[in-house]
Amino acid sequence: MDLELTPLPGIGLRHSFTTGEGRRIGVVVHHVGGRRDLVHDDGVDPDSACSLTLTRAEAIALARLLGVLDVVAGASAGCATGEPGREA
């Protein structure tokens, strides 16, 4: 899966990818204030998109629901214990 980075002049940077169903999913990180907007489209009309602005706490809760924090915690624990194949 390829992640695309698209500069949005005067706004920030959009990180996005295309799902197996052809939907575009992305996060817009704003220059000012670090606000993050979750965006997606239906894959048919590129000009049709929905967005949702998340607070920091909401973004962390979503990451937790998606299992991201478990992956990060597991990787950190492996590094701390010095498991083979991991940097200490």
Side-chain angles (χ1 to χ4, degrees):
M1 175 179 315
D2 294 327
L3 290 177
E4 298 175 21
L5 300 176
T6 306
L8 303 172
I11 297 172
L13 184 63
R14 181 179 64 213
H15 306 257
S16 59
F17 66 94
T18 302
T19 69
E21 295 177 346
R23 298 185 88 158
R24 305 267 311 140
I25 305 291
V27 175
V28 175
V29 179
H30 292 257
H31 292 307
V32 178
R35 187 177 101 203
R36 284 165 168 70
D37 296 332
L38 180 63
V39 296
H40 74 89
D41 65 30
D42 63 10
V44 177
D45 181 1
D47 293 327
S48 172
C50 293
S51 68
L52 174 65
T53 300
L54 301 173
T55 66
R56 178 172 170 74
E58 292 164 343
I60 291 170
L62 179 59
R64 187 176 310 273
L65 289 173
L66 294 172
V68 173
L69 298 181
D70 296 335
V71 171
V72 171
S76 296
C79 290
T81 61
E83 287 181 355
R86 299 199 186 241
E87 294 181 21

